[in-house]
Amino acid sequence: MLRKTRIAALCAILLTPLAISGPAGNRTQSAAQPAPSYTYRGTVHAVNASTGTLDLITGVGMSLRLVHLSAGPAVHTSAPTAGLRMADVKPGDIVTVECHRTSAGLVVDRIEKLEAPAR
Amino acid sequence: MTRPRVAAALFLLLAVGCKKPVKPGDPLPGLTAEQLARFNRGKEVFDSVFTPHTGLGPLFNSTACGECHEDPVAGGTGDEVEVHATAFKGGMCDPLVQEGGPVIQLHTTPALKAALGIDREPFPPSANARASRTTPVVFARGLLDLVPDSAILAYADSEDRNHDGVHGRPNRSLDGRIGRFGRKAFVPTLAEFNAGAFVAEMGITNPAQPTEENIGGKPIPPGVDSTADPEIRQEELDLTDDFVRFLADPTPTKLTRDGRRGRDLFSKIGCTSCHFPTLRSGASPIAALNRREFFAYTDLLLHDMGPDLEDICLGLAGPADFRTEPLLGLRDIQHFLHDGRAATLDQAIELHGGEGAGARDRFKALPTADRAAVVAFLKSL
């Protein structure tokens, strides 16, 4: 009897993780997971505060690329955790931008302006 | 030139005089067998010729690294001259990324030509400056990569506090790091320069830059570039990087009495205010690169070279600002300055303006024999 009880307990311990995980398609957790975030660091090329858009120049060596970003609500309202508002940056500023991808493109969560390098 | 700099240069001369000379294209002395194997495998990638089938283009300047950097050996100079363009407006530099970027590719693949009817990248309509760029040698780039930021900043004198008319200042990359590579010192690291060159020069995407450049601001037409990105693997990128990183600084050839006098004059007339004879690399796990004093003849800083040499801007570098060119491999170079406009070293010195004008004028004032001695010295590098 004791042996059967031990086996049942061991099976319960081993199978519990499988029972609570389930197939991915059934998980409700996935909807609540935040979208993957990206961090870009580069020079502001253009900013349009009224439309809430920002073009950032990034690149590798002499191979440069333009990254088009839209301001998320946090950046519009400049919440305490959001760093700067879109209106606070101007072309030529060196910034770090945290953003996430949506169906409409990259949306900025936070902008931080880096100190202008001394010449 | 200050006494410590003279002492360092003399010490280095004695040191290299006692060792087997390193020829252009040789690997760094002291590499391990494994590093030497990577150097050799990297050279194969450096020399490999890309085709549209293996990722070339659709815009490109060359089909291989070694097609341009070929004279007298892989990693050397070449006769190709490429075109760059930017716009400088209101003190701000626009690298024209929205119109294809600052490197104007001079060739297209047959598929792109068939689709758009172009045989080169369209010149950006917003550009207000155009530059020609010769192929530089890439010797000792691994050592230059390791020169600490603190050393570069220590050489800077943007306010010209010593009143010598020379006020070097560092360039910065798009994200604010100190630049070292490229004629305007816009690129901070060798790895980035190499990865960027694969795309900008050959249209070969790679893990560091996995997307192709647009065609004058427009997307690549469907079906024109069917090779999946990235078009080379990280391993091929790393091997190429190791080949360039491990290319040695060639030992200067033995100087004649005239050459030695020229070396002294080079310092005396003020050339070494920018062309610092020696630099020291920082710490590296690669013993052959670790804390090595080497002949570089550069301060890696930007200097205003005067209106006659003005062309494009890049980062904080205005049209007249150029990084002091490292004087390496001069013995094999046929055309001088960033765009090859000088056919001789005499002409190259005479074309220095701006912050280089003082040294230029002192060079021009030298007797003919002394000028020849300076040139003899330079040809030893």
Side-chain angles (χ1 to χ4, degrees), chain B residues 51-111:
Chain B
T51 66
H53 182 66
T54 56
L56 180 72
L59 292 168
F60 64 98
N61 277 325
S62 184
T63 58
C65 307
E67 187 189 343
C68 294
H69 297 280
E70 62 178 345
D71 190 16
V73 290
T77 183
D79 55 5
E80 289 81 359
V81 177
E82 62 180 51
V83 176
H84 293 191
T86 60
F88 191 62
K89 293 170 188 162
M92 290 274 297
C93 186
D94 183 351
L96 302 174
V97 184
Q98 71 283 12
E99 295 176 16
V103 180
I104 311 302
Q105 289 84 10
L106 302 177
H107 304 285
T108 60
T109 56

Side-chain angles (χ1 to χ4, degrees), chain B residues 270-292:
Chain B
C271 303
T272 50
S273 296
C274 303
H275 290 285
F276 286 10
T278 63
L279 293 176
R280 188 178 175 81
S281 62
S284 170
I286 297 159
L289 290 167
N290 184 39
R291 300 181 196 283
R292 253 204 63 203

Side-chain angles (χ1 to χ4, degrees), chain B residues 150-322:
Chain B
S150 57
I152 299 173
L153 290 170
Y155 302 141
D157 183 19
S158 59
E159 306 298 323
D160 192 17
R161 284 187 288 272
N162 63 359
H163 307 292
D164 65 351
V166 175
H167 38 96
R169 58 222 167 271
N171 199 356
R172 299 275 181 168
S173 62
L174 291 165
D175 58 6
R177 289 172 294 153
I178 288 179
R180 287 171 179 68
F181 297 102
R183 258 58 184 263
K184 300 254 175 181
F186 182 56
V187 182
T189 67
L190 182 62
E192 288 169 87
F193 196 90
N194 292 339
F198 264 105
V199 190
E201 306 298 352
M202 295 178 286
I204 300 294
T205 57
N206 56 72
Q209 179 55 284
T211 59
E212 297 280 6
E213 179 179 316
N214 61 49
I215 315 288
K218 297 187 178 68
I220 297 168
V224 160
D225 181 24
S226 53
T227 313
D229 295 320
E231 291 159 337
I232 56 168
R233 293 171 292 125
Q234 187 67 46
E235 173 67 358
E236 291 162 298
L237 189 59
D238 290 345
L239 284 169
T240 312
D241 198 52
D242 279 350
F243 168 65
V244 178
R245 188 174 305 280
F246 295 158
L247 274 169
D249 45 321
T251 307
T253 56
K254 190 170 170 52
L255 287 171
T256 61
R257 184 185 296 174
D258 273 351
R260 289 196 295 275
R261 193 171 85 254
R263 183 183 64 210
D264 295 341
L265 286 165
F266 186 76
S267 169
K268 192 176 171 186
I269 63 177
C271 303
T272 50
S273 296
C274 303
H275 290 285
F276 286 10
T278 63
L279 293 176
R280 188 178 175 81
S281 62
S284 170
I286 297 159
L289 290 167
N290 184 39
R291 300 181 196 283
R292 253 204 63 203
E293 196 100 25
F294 63 104
F295 285 114
Y297 291 96
T298 179
D299 55 7
L300 295 175
L301 296 170
L302 295 175
H303 297 274
D304 184 332
M305 296 307 292
D308 290 344
L309 294 183
E310 277 186 3
D311 53 28
I312 62 167
C313 56
L314 271 176
L316 299 181
D321 294 332
F322 290 88

